[in-house]
Amino acid sequence: MEDPNFWLERWQNNEIGFHSEDVQPALIAHWPTLQIAKGARVFVPLCGKTLDMAWLSAAGHVVVGSELSPLAVDAFFAERKLTPQTRLQPPFTIKSAEPYDLWCGDFFALRKNEINAAAAYDRAALVAMPPNLQPRYAAKMAELLPAGAKVLLIGLDYDPKEMQGPPFNVPQARVRELFGKDFDVSVIDARDGLTKSEHLKKRGITWLEEASYLLVRHA
Ligand SMILES: C[S@@+](CC[C@H](N)C(=O)[O-])C[C@H]1O[C@@H](n2cnc3c(N)ncnc32)[C@H](O)[C@@H]1O
C-alpha cells in the first residue's frame, strides 16, 4: 500500500476536501442505467464516509465498503444514527448495520469471497491511487468481482502540471489501459467537473473533466 499514514492523518486532521455533502450527480444520473437488481451487494472501494453509500442503500442495495480509516467508518455510522456491530476478521475490523458492511483495513488485503458483490461504484478511489499503484488497484478490482459484474467508475482528468494529486489525473486512454484486460470499458458521459469542485479550483487547475465509465467484468 501507499503510506497508510497519509490517509489516516487526513482523517485525523479533518482534511477531507474530497468528501461531498451532496450525493454525486453522476451516481444519480447513471446508476439506474446499470440495472443492478434490488438486494444486490454493491462494493464501494475506498468509501470514506460518502453519502453515496446512503443513496445506494435507498436504491435497495446492500453496501459493502472498504476503508482504511476507522474515523471515517465510525463517522459514517454516527451520521446515520446507526450503531454498528463489530467483528474482527484479521487484518480487518468489520462494522455492520443493515444494509451496510464496512471493512476497515487495507483494500489490497481483501479477498474475493469476502466481498461477493454483483456491482461496484468507484468515486475518488482509482484517482486516489498514485499512478504506480493504479495497475494493482485495477487488478484487485478484477480479482474481487465476478464475471458479469458492472462497475460505475467516475474518473478525473486535468493537466498534471497544474496540480499534484491526489486526486490523480486518469485520462480516458489510461482507464482503458488499466481495466481493458479484464473489463469491457465504455464511457457513459464526460463533462466539466470544475464548476462543482471548489476545493480543486482553489488548488489552481483551470480545467477538469469528469468522465463516467461503465466497466463490465469479462468472463
Ligand atoms: C479521496 S477519498 C474518497 C472517499 C470516498 N470514495 C468519497 O467519494 O468521498 C479516498 C479514501 O480512501 C481511503 N483509502 C486510501 N487508501 C486505502 C486503502 N489502501 N484501503 C482502504 N481505504 C483506503 C482513504 O482513507 C480515503 O477515505
Side-chain angles (χ1 to χ4, degrees):
M1 161 173 36
E2 77 278 27
D3 177 12
N5 288 327
F6 173 82
W7 288 107
L8 295 173
E9 284 168 14
R10 294 283 295 259
W11 281 99
Q12 270 154 15
N13 300 333
N14 204 31
E15 291 164 4
I16 54 168
F18 54 80
H19 178 72
S20 171
E21 292 303 334
D22 299 310
V23 175
Q24 288 301 307
L27 175 64
I28 298 170
H30 304 310
W31 187 262
T33 67
L34 271 61
Q35 298 192 304
I36 307 300
K38 281 196 198 301
R41 285 165 69 86
V42 176
F43 179 45
V44 183
L46 281 65
C47 60
K49 57 168 190 169
T50 178
L51 270 59
D52 298 348
M53 292 194 284
W55 189 91
L56 286 165
S57 117
H61 301 301
V62 174
V63 178
V64 184
S66 159
E67 170 57 49
L68 201 55
S69 168
L71 292 180
V73 169
D74 290 345
F76 177 78
F77 286 114
E79 287 171 12
R80 321 244 102 57
K81 301 194 171 33
L82 292 171
T83 308
Q85 303 230 314
T86 301
R87 67 184 200 277
L88 296 180
Q89 192 166 311
F92 293 98
T93 301
I94 305 163
K95 297 210 174 181
S96 304
E98 280 190 14
Y100 306 105
D101 250 348
L102 303 193
W103 288 62
C104 191
D106 179 13
F107 164 83
F108 289 109
L110 288 168
R111 285 176 304 207
K112 180 176 184 168
N113 55 357
E114 293 175 328
I115 293 302
N116 206 9
Y121 169 64
D122 171 336
R123 182 260 170 180
L126 171 66
V127 300
M129 295 278 162
N132 65 324
L133 279 184
Q134 290 166 4
R136 262 188 80 197
Y137 174 82
K140 193 72 191 176
M141 288 295 276
E143 178 193 330
L144 294 175
L145 295 170
K150 293 178 181 171
V151 183
L152 177 63
L153 168 79
I154 303 177
L156 297 177
D157 190 17
Y158 60 85
D159 180 350
K161 290 200 276 307
E162 294 186 336
M163 178 174 85
Q164 279 203 325
F168 295 91
N169 72 305
V170 186
Q172 293 187 19
R174 173 73 168 160
V175 172
R176 290 184 190 282
E177 177 193 325
L178 288 166
F179 289 95
K181 182 169 82 65
D182 297 304
F183 295 86
D184 290 328
V185 178
S186 51
V187 178
I188 305 173
D189 178 46
R191 59 176 63 217
D192 163 63
L194 199 56
T195 313
K196 70 176 177 70
S197 304
E198 276 304 322
H199 66 295
L200 298 180
K201 223 187 282 179
K202 283 191 198 130
R203 286 168 61 183
I205 51 173
T206 55
W207 65 271
L208 178 72
E209 181 195 79
E210 180 183 289
S212 299
Y213 301 85
L214 170 63
L215 314 181
V216 183
R217 179 77 172 92
H218 297 153

